[in-house]
Amino acid sequence: MKSFIIAVVVAVLFFLALVFGARNEQVVTISYFIAQGEFRLPVLLAVVFLAGFMLSWVFAIYHIMRLKFALRKLSKKCDTLTIQNSQDIDA
């Protein structure tokens, strides 16, 4: 449920960025290290927002997978210790 609410909030923010950009049809000049480009504001807003969104999901997935692997490792260790403990009690 929590992830659904977050997805809805992100979708609303993206929609607001598109509406803001659609109301501002200005051409924006972007200067980067070796070149310069002119882009329409709605396109620039959408690209920057999606790039940030995708980058944050990559980091989130990395951390989630790391936690899942750690949990799996500790779960296996717990199972091994439980089996050893039950064998010690039987002996």
Side-chain angles (χ1 to χ4, degrees):
M1 183 68 175
K2 183 178 176 182
S3 62
F4 175 73
I5 292 172
I6 291 172
V8 169
V9 169
V10 169
V12 167
L13 288 175
F14 182 70
F15 179 73
L16 288 175
L18 286 178
V19 169
F20 176 75
R23 303 263 312 160
N24 295 296
E25 287 291 326
Q26 296 174 336
V27 175
V28 179
T29 303
I30 303 293
S31 298
Y32 25 94
F33 295 115
I34 57 173
Q36 184 176 8
E38 293 185 359
F39 305 99
R40 290 184 330 137
L41 187 60
V43 173
L44 185 64
L45 285 173
V47 167
V48 169
F49 183 82
L50 285 174
F53 181 75
M54 297 304 281
L55 185 63
S56 66
W57 269 107
V58 166
F59 284 123
I61 288 172
Y62 168 74
H63 288 291
I64 289 169
M65 294 309 276
R66 194 175 76 186
L67 289 173
K68 283 187 177 186
F69 286 137
L71 180 63
R72 183 181 298 154
K73 181 179 176 182
L74 290 174
S75 181
K76 286 181 181 179
K77 187 174 183 177
C78 183
D79 291 342
T80 303
L81 290 174
T82 303
I83 291 170
Q84 283 179 349
N85 190 21
S86 66
Q87 289 175 353
D88 290 342
I89 291 174
D90 290 340

